[in-house]
Amino acid sequence: MATHRFDPNFTDNVINSMGPKTSPRLRQLMTGLIRHVHDFARENELTVDEWMEGVKLLNWAGQMSDDKRNEGQLVCDVIGLESLVDEITFTLADEAKDAPTATAILGPFFRADTPYRENGADIVVTKPSDGEMTFMHGRIMDFTTQKPLVGATVEVWQASTNGLYEQQDPVQTEFNLRGKFKTDADGRYYFYCLRPTPYPVPGDGPAGKLLDLMDRHPFRPAHIHIMATCEGYRPLTTQIFDRKDKYLDNDSVFAVKDSLVVDFVPREGDAQAGLELNYDVKLVADVPTNGV
Ligand code: BEZ
Ligand code: FE
């Protein structure tokens, strides 16, 4: 029995219009989406003008997106959807006891074509005038055995102190503040980077407009992105956050997890860096699923 005064059969009619060739998972997802969206419209008595504003926002996000900018993802980020999906994935993996290093969202600034660099390289190719140089190092390990993983790949990316990733900023050299590293015979990776600084998510598109309308600030706490991969292990995407950052409890995209908060400590006797960050990543062996 419908608890509203609108056509009680409408939503079921829309759901039942899906044909037999729809896959079970798509049927499940579309059924849930249609039910929730229809309930949202009825509960809020959504007007045609309000709905059209939403349509325009979606269109605007699509029009602004290209291979350097993913505004659709950014809109999802400011309403917490990417972080929620990450939490769901992490929780499912954790229940199976296989997610020792916490995951965090990929975000829109990942580049699949980042080059490999030698361990010890400096990823700060375009030096900002105000950055704090950091020596970042750690090991990639097997979570269960704690053994180092040799030849694993760790990929990192970070924004510069002006708040921009290199693909957003014509002043930065291509692939500035990015690099892929292979772990050495002890499972170690090491390189020079910047102590990260907080930055605002881009404000000139629909995600920025949504933040404005919701009276929210756009800042992300200072972080470094990490993606770690090794044959036979589950790939890991995460971010690590500077404990001293003032936006830790207030991330505009809701990505901070306690276990990902790290300390930058003073480094002695290194002319290249006054700070150091040690971060080990623990990967979980991939259990074969027989192709299912
Ligand atoms: C980032 O981590 O780079 C990011 C994530 C979500 C929205 C914007 C930026
Ligand atoms: Fe980021």
Side-chain angles (χ1 to χ4, degrees), residues 9-19 22 26-36 38 42:
N9 301 317
F10 183 74
T11 297
D12 284 340
N13 284 345
V14 175
I15 289 168
N16 292 336
S17 69
M18 278 186 273
T22 312
L26 188 75
R27 185 181 298 276
Q28 179 187 352
L29 293 175
M30 289 308 298
T31 299
L33 183 68
I34 292 164
R35 275 203 198 292
H36 284 284
H38 285 201
R42 282 186 290 254

Side-chain angles (χ1 to χ4, degrees), residues 105-109 157-159 165 199 220-221 223-225 239:
I105 62 175
L106 179 69
F109 298 116
W157 64 105
Q158 65 175 162
Y165 285 84
Y199 65 79
R220 296 226 54 217
H223 61 274
I224 299 175
H225 294 263
Q239 305 184 15

Side-chain angles (χ1 to χ4, degrees), residues 65-288:
S65 295
D66 55 27
D67 59 347
K68 291 201 163 168
R69 178 153 187 173
N70 191 338
E71 192 69 20
Q73 187 173 358
L74 198 54
V75 168
C76 292
D77 288 335
V78 300
I79 60 166
L81 186 57
E82 189 179 0
S83 283
L84 177 60
V85 171
D86 171 65
E87 192 206 345
I88 293 165
T89 309
F90 180 70
T91 304
L92 290 181
D94 207 25
E95 277 161 7
K97 291 276 169 282
D98 63 359
T101 294
T103 56
I105 62 175
L106 179 69
F109 298 116
F110 171 71
R111 281 189 68 173
D113 50 353
T114 295
Y116 276 97
R117 301 183 194 268
E118 291 298 322
N119 275 310
D122 180 357
I123 66 170
V124 196
V125 183
T126 307
K127 299 267 184 249
S129 55
D130 54 349
E132 283 187 276
M133 288 297 293
T134 299
F135 180 67
M136 179 167 168
H137 61 106
R139 280 178 308 161
I140 312 290
M141 297 151 76
D142 179 309
F143 167 62
T144 313
T145 65
Q146 304 286 305
K147 290 214 173 103
L149 297 175
V150 180
T153 295
V154 58
E155 176 163 358
V156 294
W157 64 105
Q158 65 175 162
S160 192
T161 52
N162 63 358
L164 297 174
Y165 285 84
E166 50 85 17
Q167 72 265 58
Q168 300 173 282
D169 183 4
V171 171
Q172 293 180 51
T173 314
E174 189 167 32
F175 301 120
N176 186 43
L177 296 170
R178 291 175 192 275
K180 271 182 174 170
F181 299 88
K182 280 247 182 258
T183 54
D184 66 13
D186 298 319
R188 293 190 181 281
Y189 70 87
Y190 46 100
F191 59 89
Y192 290 91
C193 62
L194 290 175
R195 179 185 205 151
T197 37
Y199 65 79
V201 302
D204 56 342
K209 168 100 184 177
L210 262 183
L211 284 172
D212 253 8
L213 290 170
M214 293 189 287
D215 189 21
R216 281 175 39 196
H217 76 76
F219 280 89
R220 296 226 54 217
H223 61 274
I224 299 175
H225 294 263
I226 298 177
M227 185 183 281
T229 51
C230 184
E231 213 183 316
Y233 288 81
R234 291 201 175 177
L236 177 92
T237 301
T238 196
Q239 305 184 15
I240 48 178
F241 298 90
D242 186 343
R243 189 177 311 281
K244 297 233 164 103
D245 194 279
K246 68 173 178 174
Y247 294 107
L248 267 192
D249 294 330
N250 205 359
D251 181 2
S252 60
V253 302
F254 311 96
V256 179
K257 293 175 181 168
D258 290 348
S259 66
L260 296 174
V261 176
V262 297
D263 295 290
F264 290 76
V265 298
R267 178 168 170 84
E268 307 295 334
D270 185 342
Q272 263 184 278
L275 290 173
E276 177 169 338
L277 172 64
N278 184 5
Y279 192 73
D280 291 343
V281 175
K282 293 169 188 164
L283 295 182
V284 171
D286 208 0
V287 182

